[in-house]
Short mmCIF file of all heavy atoms in Angstrom, two decimals:
data_model
loop_
_atom_site.label_atom_id
_atom_site.label_comp_id
_atom_site.label_asym_id
_atom_site.label_seq_id
_atom_site.Cartn_x
_atom_site.Cartn_y
_atom_site.Cartn_z
N MET A 23 118.27 79.59 189.99
CA MET A 23 118.47 78.46 189.10
C MET A 23 118.51 77.14 189.90
O MET A 23 117.90 76.18 189.50
CB MET A 23 119.75 78.68 188.30
CG MET A 23 120.02 77.61 187.31
SD MET A 23 118.79 77.66 185.99
CE MET A 23 119.51 76.60 184.83
N LYS A 24 119.25 77.14 191.02
CA LYS A 24 119.35 75.92 191.81
C LYS A 24 117.99 75.51 192.36
O LYS A 24 117.67 74.33 192.43
CB LYS A 24 120.34 76.09 192.96
CG LYS A 24 121.77 76.12 192.53
CD LYS A 24 122.69 76.26 193.73
CE LYS A 24 124.13 76.33 193.30
NZ LYS A 24 125.03 76.41 194.45
N VAL A 25 117.18 76.49 192.74
CA VAL A 25 115.86 76.20 193.28
C VAL A 25 115.00 75.56 192.19
O VAL A 25 114.29 74.58 192.44
CB VAL A 25 115.18 77.47 193.83
CG1 VAL A 25 113.74 77.21 194.20
CG2 VAL A 25 115.96 78.01 195.02
N LEU A 26 115.08 76.09 190.98
CA LEU A 26 114.31 75.55 189.86
C LEU A 26 114.70 74.11 189.57
O LEU A 26 113.84 73.24 189.43
CB LEU A 26 114.51 76.41 188.62
CG LEU A 26 113.78 75.95 187.35
CD1 LEU A 26 112.27 75.96 187.59
CD2 LEU A 26 114.14 76.84 186.18
N ILE A 27 115.99 73.84 189.53
CA ILE A 27 116.46 72.48 189.27
C ILE A 27 116.06 71.55 190.41
O ILE A 27 115.57 70.45 190.18
CB ILE A 27 117.99 72.46 189.06
CG1 ILE A 27 118.34 73.18 187.76
CG2 ILE A 27 118.52 71.03 189.04
CD1 ILE A 27 119.82 73.42 187.55
N GLY A 28 116.22 72.01 191.65
CA GLY A 28 115.82 71.20 192.80
C GLY A 28 114.34 70.90 192.80
O GLY A 28 113.92 69.79 193.11
N THR A 29 113.54 71.87 192.41
CA THR A 29 112.09 71.67 192.34
C THR A 29 111.74 70.64 191.28
O THR A 29 110.91 69.76 191.50
CB THR A 29 111.39 73.01 192.03
OG1 THR A 29 111.69 73.94 193.06
CG2 THR A 29 109.89 72.84 191.94
N LYS A 30 112.39 70.73 190.13
CA LYS A 30 112.12 69.77 189.05
C LYS A 30 112.51 68.36 189.48
O LYS A 30 111.77 67.41 189.26
CB LYS A 30 112.88 70.17 187.78
CG LYS A 30 112.28 71.38 187.10
CD LYS A 30 113.15 71.91 185.98
CE LYS A 30 113.26 70.92 184.83
NZ LYS A 30 114.04 71.47 183.71
N TRP A 31 113.67 68.21 190.13
CA TRP A 31 114.11 66.89 190.58
C TRP A 31 113.19 66.35 191.67
O TRP A 31 112.87 65.17 191.70
CB TRP A 31 115.56 66.95 191.08
CG TRP A 31 116.54 66.88 189.95
CD1 TRP A 31 117.12 67.92 189.33
CD2 TRP A 31 117.01 65.70 189.28
NE1 TRP A 31 117.94 67.47 188.32
CE2 TRP A 31 117.89 66.11 188.27
CE3 TRP A 31 116.76 64.34 189.44
CZ2 TRP A 31 118.51 65.21 187.43
CZ3 TRP A 31 117.40 63.45 188.60
CH2 TRP A 31 118.27 63.88 187.61
N ARG A 32 112.74 67.24 192.57
CA ARG A 32 111.81 66.81 193.62
C ARG A 32 110.50 66.32 193.00
O ARG A 32 109.99 65.26 193.36
CB ARG A 32 111.52 67.96 194.57
CG ARG A 32 110.60 67.56 195.72
CD ARG A 32 109.86 68.72 196.34
NE ARG A 32 109.01 69.34 195.35
CZ ARG A 32 108.75 70.64 195.30
NH1 ARG A 32 109.28 71.46 196.17
NH2 ARG A 32 107.96 71.14 194.38
N ASP A 33 109.98 67.08 192.05
CA ASP A 33 108.72 66.70 191.41
C ASP A 33 108.86 65.37 190.67
O ASP A 33 107.97 64.52 190.73
CB ASP A 33 108.26 67.79 190.44
CG ASP A 33 107.86 69.07 191.16
OD1 ASP A 33 107.67 69.03 192.40
OD2 ASP A 33 107.74 70.11 190.47
N GLU A 34 109.96 65.19 189.97
CA GLU A 34 110.18 63.93 189.26
C GLU A 34 110.34 62.77 190.24
O GLU A 34 109.85 61.68 190.01
CB GLU A 34 111.40 64.01 188.33
CG GLU A 34 111.15 64.85 187.11
CD GLU A 34 109.98 64.37 186.27
OE1 GLU A 34 109.88 63.17 185.96
OE2 GLU A 34 109.15 65.21 185.91
N GLY A 35 111.03 63.03 191.35
CA GLY A 35 111.18 62.00 192.38
C GLY A 35 109.84 61.57 192.95
O GLY A 35 109.58 60.38 193.15
N MET A 36 108.96 62.54 193.18
CA MET A 36 107.63 62.23 193.68
C MET A 36 106.84 61.43 192.65
O MET A 36 106.12 60.50 192.99
CB MET A 36 106.88 63.52 194.05
CG MET A 36 107.46 64.24 195.24
SD MET A 36 107.43 63.25 196.76
CE MET A 36 105.68 63.18 197.04
N TYR A 37 107.00 61.78 191.39
CA TYR A 37 106.32 61.05 190.32
C TYR A 37 106.81 59.60 190.28
O TYR A 37 106.02 58.67 190.18
CB TYR A 37 106.54 61.73 188.98
CG TYR A 37 105.90 60.99 187.83
CD1 TYR A 37 104.53 61.08 187.61
CD2 TYR A 37 106.65 60.18 187.00
CE1 TYR A 37 103.93 60.39 186.58
CE2 TYR A 37 106.06 59.49 185.96
CZ TYR A 37 104.70 59.59 185.75
OH TYR A 37 104.12 58.89 184.73
N VAL A 38 108.12 59.41 190.38
CA VAL A 38 108.69 58.06 190.38
C VAL A 38 108.13 57.25 191.54
O VAL A 38 107.71 56.10 191.36
CB VAL A 38 110.23 58.11 190.43
CG1 VAL A 38 110.81 56.73 190.72
CG2 VAL A 38 110.79 58.67 189.15
N LEU A 39 108.11 57.83 192.72
CA LEU A 39 107.57 57.12 193.89
C LEU A 39 106.10 56.76 193.69
O LEU A 39 105.67 55.66 194.03
CB LEU A 39 107.75 57.96 195.15
CG LEU A 39 109.17 58.10 195.66
CD1 LEU A 39 109.21 59.08 196.83
CD2 LEU A 39 109.73 56.75 196.07
N GLU A 40 105.34 57.68 193.13
CA GLU A 40 103.92 57.42 192.87
C GLU A 40 103.75 56.26 191.89
O GLU A 40 102.91 55.38 192.10
CB GLU A 40 103.27 58.68 192.29
CG GLU A 40 101.80 58.51 191.98
CD GLU A 40 101.20 59.76 191.37
OE1 GLU A 40 101.77 60.86 191.51
OE2 GLU A 40 100.15 59.63 190.73
N MET A 41 104.57 56.24 190.84
CA MET A 41 104.48 55.16 189.86
C MET A 41 104.88 53.82 190.46
O MET A 41 104.27 52.80 190.17
CB MET A 41 105.34 55.49 188.63
CG MET A 41 104.86 56.70 187.86
SD MET A 41 103.18 56.53 187.22
CE MET A 41 103.44 55.33 185.95
N VAL A 42 105.90 53.80 191.28
CA VAL A 42 106.32 52.56 191.95
C VAL A 42 105.21 52.07 192.87
O VAL A 42 104.88 50.88 192.89
CB VAL A 42 107.64 52.76 192.74
CG1 VAL A 42 107.93 51.59 193.65
CG2 VAL A 42 108.80 53.00 191.78
N PHE A 43 104.60 52.99 193.61
CA PHE A 43 103.49 52.63 194.49
C PHE A 43 102.33 52.04 193.70
O PHE A 43 101.78 51.00 194.06
CB PHE A 43 103.03 53.87 195.27
CG PHE A 43 101.89 53.60 196.20
CD1 PHE A 43 102.09 52.94 197.39
CD2 PHE A 43 100.61 54.01 195.86
CE1 PHE A 43 101.03 52.69 198.25
CE2 PHE A 43 99.54 53.76 196.71
CZ PHE A 43 99.75 53.10 197.91
N LYS A 44 101.98 52.68 192.59
CA LYS A 44 100.89 52.17 191.76
C LYS A 44 101.23 50.80 191.18
O LYS A 44 100.38 49.92 191.12
CB LYS A 44 100.57 53.15 190.64
CG LYS A 44 99.82 54.37 191.10
CD LYS A 44 99.51 55.28 189.92
CE LYS A 44 98.74 56.50 190.37
NZ LYS A 44 98.43 57.39 189.24
N ALA A 45 102.48 50.65 190.74
CA ALA A 45 102.89 49.37 190.16
C ALA A 45 102.84 48.26 191.20
O ALA A 45 102.40 47.15 190.91
CB ALA A 45 104.30 49.49 189.57
N ASN A 46 103.25 48.56 192.42
CA ASN A 46 103.21 47.56 193.48
C ASN A 46 101.78 47.18 193.83
O ASN A 46 101.50 46.06 194.22
CB ASN A 46 103.94 48.07 194.73
CG ASN A 46 105.43 48.02 194.58
OD1 ASN A 46 105.96 47.23 193.82
ND2 ASN A 46 106.11 48.87 195.32
N GLY A 47 100.86 48.12 193.71
CA GLY A 47 99.47 47.87 194.06
C GLY A 47 98.68 47.16 192.97
O GLY A 47 97.59 46.67 193.22
N SER A 48 99.21 47.10 191.79
CA SER A 48 98.48 46.49 190.69
C SER A 48 99.42 45.70 189.79
O SER A 48 99.83 46.16 188.75
CB SER A 48 97.76 47.57 189.88
OG SER A 48 98.67 48.51 189.38
N MET A 49 99.76 44.51 190.22
CA MET A 49 100.74 43.70 189.50
C MET A 49 100.32 43.39 188.06
O MET A 49 101.16 43.25 187.18
CB MET A 49 101.01 42.40 190.26
CG MET A 49 101.70 42.61 191.60
SD MET A 49 103.28 43.48 191.48
CE MET A 49 104.29 42.20 190.78
N ASP A 50 99.02 43.33 187.81
CA ASP A 50 98.56 43.03 186.45
C ASP A 50 98.81 44.20 185.50
O ASP A 50 98.86 44.02 184.29
CB ASP A 50 97.09 42.65 186.44
CG ASP A 50 96.19 43.71 187.04
OD1 ASP A 50 96.65 44.44 187.94
OD2 ASP A 50 95.03 43.80 186.61
N LYS A 51 99.03 45.38 186.03
CA LYS A 51 99.27 46.56 185.20
C LYS A 51 100.72 47.03 185.27
O LYS A 51 101.05 48.09 184.79
CB LYS A 51 98.35 47.71 185.65
CG LYS A 51 96.89 47.41 185.49
CD LYS A 51 96.07 48.58 185.96
CE LYS A 51 94.59 48.26 185.88
NZ LYS A 51 93.79 49.38 186.38
N ILE A 52 101.57 46.22 185.84
CA ILE A 52 102.95 46.67 186.10
C ILE A 52 103.70 47.03 184.82
O ILE A 52 104.45 48.00 184.80
CB ILE A 52 103.72 45.63 186.94
CG1 ILE A 52 104.98 46.26 187.49
CG2 ILE A 52 104.03 44.38 186.15
CD1 ILE A 52 105.64 45.44 188.58
N ARG A 53 103.50 46.29 183.76
CA ARG A 53 104.23 46.59 182.53
C ARG A 53 103.88 47.98 182.01
O ARG A 53 104.75 48.74 181.62
CB ARG A 53 103.93 45.55 181.45
CG ARG A 53 104.76 45.80 180.18
CD ARG A 53 104.49 44.83 179.08
NE ARG A 53 104.64 43.47 179.57
CZ ARG A 53 104.04 42.42 179.02
NH1 ARG A 53 103.27 42.58 177.99
NH2 ARG A 53 104.22 41.23 179.52
N LEU A 54 102.60 48.33 182.03
CA LEU A 54 102.18 49.66 181.58
C LEU A 54 102.75 50.75 182.47
O LEU A 54 103.18 51.80 181.98
CB LEU A 54 100.65 49.75 181.55
CG LEU A 54 99.95 48.91 180.51
CD1 LEU A 54 98.44 49.00 180.70
CD2 LEU A 54 100.35 49.35 179.11
N GLN A 55 102.77 50.50 183.76
CA GLN A 55 103.31 51.49 184.70
C GLN A 55 104.80 51.70 184.46
O GLN A 55 105.28 52.83 184.45
CB GLN A 55 103.07 51.05 186.15
CG GLN A 55 101.62 50.93 186.53
CD GLN A 55 100.92 52.27 186.61
OE1 GLN A 55 101.56 53.30 186.75
NE2 GLN A 55 99.62 52.26 186.51
N ILE A 56 105.52 50.61 184.27
CA ILE A 56 106.97 50.70 184.06
C ILE A 56 107.28 51.40 182.74
O ILE A 56 108.17 52.24 182.66
CB ILE A 56 107.63 49.31 184.13
CG1 ILE A 56 107.57 48.81 185.58
CG2 ILE A 56 109.05 49.35 183.61
CD1 ILE A 56 108.02 47.39 185.77
N GLU A 57 106.53 51.07 181.69
CA GLU A 57 106.75 51.71 180.40
C GLU A 57 106.46 53.20 180.48
O GLU A 57 107.19 54.01 179.91
CB GLU A 57 105.89 51.05 179.32
CG GLU A 57 106.37 49.66 178.97
CD GLU A 57 105.42 48.93 178.03
OE1 GLU A 57 104.36 49.49 177.67
OE2 GLU A 57 105.74 47.79 177.67
N SER A 58 105.42 53.57 181.19
CA SER A 58 105.08 54.98 181.37
C SER A 58 106.18 55.69 182.14
O SER A 58 106.60 56.80 181.78
CB SER A 58 103.75 55.10 182.09
OG SER A 58 103.47 56.44 182.39
N LEU A 59 106.65 55.06 183.19
CA LEU A 59 107.72 55.63 184.00
C LEU A 59 108.99 55.77 183.19
O LEU A 59 109.66 56.81 183.23
CB LEU A 59 107.96 54.74 185.22
CG LEU A 59 109.11 55.11 186.13
CD1 LEU A 59 108.92 56.51 186.70
CD2 LEU A 59 109.23 54.10 187.26
N GLN A 60 109.33 54.76 182.41
CA GLN A 60 110.55 54.80 181.61
C GLN A 60 110.48 55.94 180.59
O GLN A 60 111.44 56.68 180.42
CB GLN A 60 110.76 53.47 180.88
CG GLN A 60 112.03 53.41 180.09
CD GLN A 60 112.23 52.06 179.42
OE1 GLN A 60 111.30 51.28 179.32
NE2 GLN A 60 113.42 51.81 178.97
N GLY A 61 109.33 56.09 179.95
CA GLY A 61 109.17 57.18 178.99
C GLY A 61 109.31 58.54 179.64
O GLY A 61 109.96 59.45 179.11
N ARG A 62 108.70 58.68 180.81
CA ARG A 62 108.76 59.96 181.52
C ARG A 62 110.20 60.27 181.94
O ARG A 62 110.67 61.39 181.81
CB ARG A 62 107.84 59.90 182.74
CG ARG A 62 107.90 61.05 183.66
CD ARG A 62 106.89 62.11 183.33
NE ARG A 62 106.95 63.20 184.28
CZ ARG A 62 105.91 63.69 184.93
NH1 ARG A 62 104.73 63.19 184.71
NH2 ARG A 62 106.06 64.69 185.76
N LEU A 63 110.90 59.27 182.47
CA LEU A 63 112.30 59.49 182.89
C LEU A 63 113.20 59.80 181.69
O LEU A 63 114.07 60.66 181.78
CB LEU A 63 112.82 58.28 183.65
CG LEU A 63 112.24 58.07 185.04
CD1 LEU A 63 112.71 56.75 185.62
CD2 LEU A 63 112.60 59.22 185.96
N ASP A 64 112.98 59.10 180.58
CA ASP A 64 113.78 59.37 179.37
C ASP A 64 113.56 60.81 178.91
O ASP A 64 114.52 61.51 178.57
CB ASP A 64 113.40 58.40 178.24
CG ASP A 64 113.88 56.99 178.49
OD1 ASP A 64 114.75 56.79 179.36
OD2 ASP A 64 113.38 56.08 177.80
N GLU A 65 112.31 61.24 178.91
CA GLU A 65 111.99 62.61 178.49
C GLU A 65 112.62 63.62 179.44
O GLU A 65 113.19 64.62 179.00
CB GLU A 65 110.47 62.77 178.47
CG GLU A 65 110.00 64.13 178.01
CD GLU A 65 108.49 64.22 177.99
OE1 GLU A 65 107.83 63.30 177.46
OE2 GLU A 65 107.97 65.21 178.55
N PHE A 66 112.52 63.36 180.73
CA PHE A 66 113.08 64.27 181.72
C PHE A 66 114.60 64.38 181.57
O PHE A 66 115.16 65.47 181.57
CB PHE A 66 112.74 63.80 183.14
CG PHE A 66 113.33 64.64 184.21
CD1 PHE A 66 112.85 65.90 184.47
CD2 PHE A 66 114.40 64.16 184.97
CE1 PHE A 66 113.41 66.69 185.47
CE2 PHE A 66 114.95 64.94 185.96
CZ PHE A 66 114.46 66.20 186.21
N MET A 67 115.27 63.25 181.42
CA MET A 67 116.73 63.26 181.30
C MET A 67 117.15 63.97 180.03
O MET A 67 118.13 64.70 180.03
CB MET A 67 117.29 61.83 181.35
CG MET A 67 117.13 61.18 182.72
SD MET A 67 117.85 62.13 184.07
CE MET A 67 119.57 62.07 183.66
N GLN A 68 116.43 63.76 178.93
CA GLN A 68 116.76 64.44 177.68
C GLN A 68 116.64 65.96 177.83
O GLN A 68 117.49 66.71 177.41
CB GLN A 68 115.85 63.96 176.54
CG GLN A 68 116.18 64.55 175.21
CD GLN A 68 117.56 64.17 174.71
OE1 GLN A 68 118.03 63.05 174.96
NE2 GLN A 68 118.22 65.06 174.03
N THR A 69 115.59 66.40 178.50
CA THR A 69 115.39 67.83 178.73
C THR A 69 116.51 68.39 179.60
O THR A 69 117.03 69.48 179.32
CB THR A 69 114.04 68.08 179.44
OG1 THR A 69 113.02 67.37 178.76
CG2 THR A 69 113.68 69.54 179.40
N GLU A 70 116.87 67.66 180.64
CA GLU A 70 117.94 68.12 181.53
C GLU A 70 119.27 68.20 180.80
O GLU A 70 120.04 69.14 180.99
CB GLU A 70 118.07 67.18 182.74
CG GLU A 70 116.95 67.32 183.73
CD GLU A 70 116.89 68.70 184.36
OE1 GLU A 70 117.91 69.19 184.86
OE2 GLU A 70 115.80 69.29 184.33
N LEU A 71 119.56 67.24 179.94
CA LEU A 71 120.83 67.25 179.20
C LEU A 71 120.87 68.41 178.23
O LEU A 71 121.94 68.99 177.99
CB LEU A 71 121.02 65.92 178.47
CG LEU A 71 121.29 64.72 179.36
CD1 LEU A 71 121.35 63.44 178.53
CD2 LEU A 71 122.59 64.89 180.14
N GLU A 72 119.73 68.77 177.65
CA GLU A 72 119.70 69.89 176.71
C GLU A 72 119.95 71.21 177.43
O GLU A 72 120.47 72.14 176.83
CB GLU A 72 118.34 69.94 176.01
CG GLU A 72 118.15 68.81 175.02
CD GLU A 72 116.74 68.76 174.44
OE1 GLU A 72 115.89 69.60 174.83
OE2 GLU A 72 116.50 67.87 173.61
N GLU A 73 119.59 71.30 178.70
CA GLU A 73 119.78 72.53 179.46
C GLU A 73 121.22 72.73 179.92
O GLU A 73 121.61 73.83 180.28
CB GLU A 73 118.84 72.57 180.66
CG GLU A 73 117.39 72.72 180.27
CD GLU A 73 116.47 72.79 181.46
OE1 GLU A 73 116.95 72.87 182.61
OE2 GLU A 73 115.24 72.75 181.25
N ILE A 74 122.00 71.65 179.92
CA ILE A 74 123.38 71.74 180.42
C ILE A 74 124.29 72.31 179.35
O ILE A 74 124.23 72.26 178.26
CB ILE A 74 123.91 70.34 180.85
CG1 ILE A 74 123.10 69.88 182.04
CG2 ILE A 74 125.37 70.39 181.18
CD1 ILE A 74 123.46 68.50 182.53
#
């Protein structure tokens, strides 16, 4: 169970870093990147809370 949770958090962390990198590289698209990231994080947190 701990490995599964750690893997999910690692994957989400990598996704967050990728989105930040993309947002930094394309300032004209930053709003779309942030909105996408926010939606993904909201979805992830909701799923995690349901599992607790």
Side-chain angles (χ1 to χ4, degrees):
M23 183 68 168
K24 287 182 182 182
V25 172
L26 179 61
I27 292 171
T29 300
K30 287 171 66 177
W31 278 96
R32 182 203 62 214
D33 293 345
E34 287 303 311
M36 292 299 292
Y37 178 78
V38 168
L39 289 174
E40 180 182 340
M41 295 301 289
V42 169
F43 179 76
K44 285 181 179 180
N46 284 335
S48 58
M49 293 303 287
D50 57 329
K51 297 180 183 178
I52 195 166
R53 184 181 306 156
L54 292 174
Q55 297 290 340
I56 290 173
E57 289 173 359
S58 174
L59 176 60
Q60 183 178 15
R62 173 92 178 231
L63 289 173
D64 289 344
E65 182 179 312
F66 177 73
M67 291 305 294
Q68 183 63 34
T69 311
E70 287 297 309
L71 290 175
E72 289 173 359
E73 291 181 8
I74 295 177

